[in-house]
Amino acid sequence: MTVATTPTPRPWSSSEARLDPFGTYDRLRDGGPVEIAEGRWLLMRHDDVNAAFVDTDRFSSDIRRPDSPVFANSPLVFDDPPRHTQLRRLVAKAFTPSRVAALEPAITVTATALLDAIDRSELDRGDALHGHGADGGAATDGDRARRAALIEESLRIDSPVQVPARRATVDVEYPADGVTIPAGSFVMLGVGAANRDPAVFPEPHDFVTDRPSAHLAFGHGIHFCLGAALARLEATVTLELLAERYEALTLAGEAKRTPGIPHRGFDRLPIRLVPRREPRSPA
């Protein structure tokens, strides 16, 4: 059994790496779990991240720290069974498939009102769209199935939450890599790295909308995002309304990424909307 004693230098020490961490993920992934600072580890392979999500006995979600405004307290997110099971059972009643589907008319009304308020052909949508080769035409063309696919690939290639965290409750061994994560370690589940693991996703940096939906952007296991179906519905409705009004969505200037690793987004994302000459009927 081997326990790493010399942490890998902080992999995101440069601003370039913080804005685009995927090259770093590729460089480190094959080595297995990596200690990126004393007592802090990063998992990057799809199999390792997926397994940690479901192994609540060895990877606890309780990472509360009274001295931290981020990790001080959060019901459900930082809970393990049985408390998590009890709370999730109560909250899940609001997110059943039928209840989420029933929200579509209200979502449509809200999104329509927001689009009606746009009176110019260019706007800054913050984190509304992601780049990486996503075809603006695909967002405004095709049927609903082609669009729940555009959304899934967007989630895979640029997952909003990159590194949810866990705490190792026991020594966790990775014999093939000669590595052991010691009990008590802070373990970052590299969702962003796992979702571009070439062992699962061929040509992982390419935007391909007909991939099998094996991404981990919404997590996995007991902490799978309760609002995943709602988020997918909101995105689908928005794309459908955009398709009715516009022929294409293109960049209208330089996008500015939000620096940092835990969450991916944009501080600035100017978009040019190309109106349709004739309104398009809903798909």
Side-chain angles (χ1 to χ4, degrees):
M1 181 174 70
T2 302
V3 178
T5 57
T6 304
T8 298
R10 291 187 177 273
W12 301 296
S13 57
S14 70
S15 58
E16 291 81 6
R18 288 193 296 273
L19 289 172
D20 185 3
F22 300 105
T24 301
Y25 294 153
D26 288 344
R27 178 170 57 85
L28 298 176
R29 185 187 292 108
D30 289 343
V34 173
E35 190 176 17
I36 60 174
E38 187 175 356
R40 288 177 174 260
W41 292 76
L42 174 65
L43 305 182
M44 288 169 287
R45 294 183 299 218
H46 190 278
D47 285 352
D48 293 343
V49 175
N50 190 57
F53 268 126
V54 300
D55 190 349
T56 58
D57 290 334
R58 296 194 299 172
F59 294 94
S60 171
S61 296
D62 188 355
I63 55 173
R64 293 178 176 90
R65 284 173 40 195
D67 62 333
S68 169
V70 176
F71 300 117
N73 188 36
S74 181
L76 270 182
V77 176
F78 294 158
D79 281 326
D80 293 322
R83 174 178 160 87
H84 175 272
T85 306
Q86 296 164 350
L87 293 179
R88 187 177 176 105
R89 186 178 294 123
L90 293 174
V91 178
K93 295 177 181 178
F95 293 93
T96 62
S98 60
R99 288 200 172 189
V100 171
L103 293 174
E104 182 166 350
I107 294 170
T108 301
V109 169
T110 301
T112 299
L114 291 172
L115 287 175
D116 287 342
I118 297 173
D119 59 358
R120 56 192 185 280
S121 62
E122 293 185 10
L123 68 156
D124 191 333
R125 291 301 298 267
D127 61 351
L129 291 179
H130 295 276
H132 298 288
D135 181 5
T140 57
D141 197 5
D143 57 17
R144 175 169 281 202
R146 183 183 177 193
R147 281 191 281 274
L150 177 65
I151 293 165
E152 295 305 313
E153 182 68 347
S154 297
L155 288 166
R156 180 198 71 81
I157 205 164
D158 210 358
S159 307
V161 178
Q162 290 279 300
V163 282
R166 298 291 188 268
R167 177 178 54 83
T169 61
V170 297
D171 289 354
V172 183
E173 299 182 27
Y174 293 84
D177 304 304
V179 169
T180 295
I181 298 178
S185 296
F186 188 85
V187 184
M188 303 167 71
L189 308 189
V191 167
N195 283 343
R196 296 202 189 191
D197 186 343
V200 177
F201 305 102
E203 303 299 329
H205 301 301
D206 291 346
F207 195 95
V208 181
T209 56
D210 60 355
R211 296 181 187 273
S213 181
H215 69 74
L216 300 172
F218 286 124
H220 190 54
I222 67 170
H223 283 280
F224 182 81
C225 179
L226 270 171
L230 178 59
R232 286 169 166 142
L233 178 60
E234 290 173 336
T236 300
V237 168
T238 299
L239 291 180
E240 289 177 347
L241 292 174
L242 288 170
E244 292 176 24
R245 301 180 182 218
Y246 304 105
E247 291 184 357
L249 285 70
T250 61
L251 283 175
E254 183 179 359
K256 182 180 179 182
R257 278 280 185 188
T258 301
I261 297 300
H263 297 89
R264 295 282 289 171
F266 292 93
D267 286 339
R268 182 173 184 271
L269 185 60
I271 296 173
R272 178 174 294 110
L273 304 175
V274 181
R276 291 189 179 276
R277 294 182 180 180
E278 295 182 4
R280 179 188 178 93
S281 299

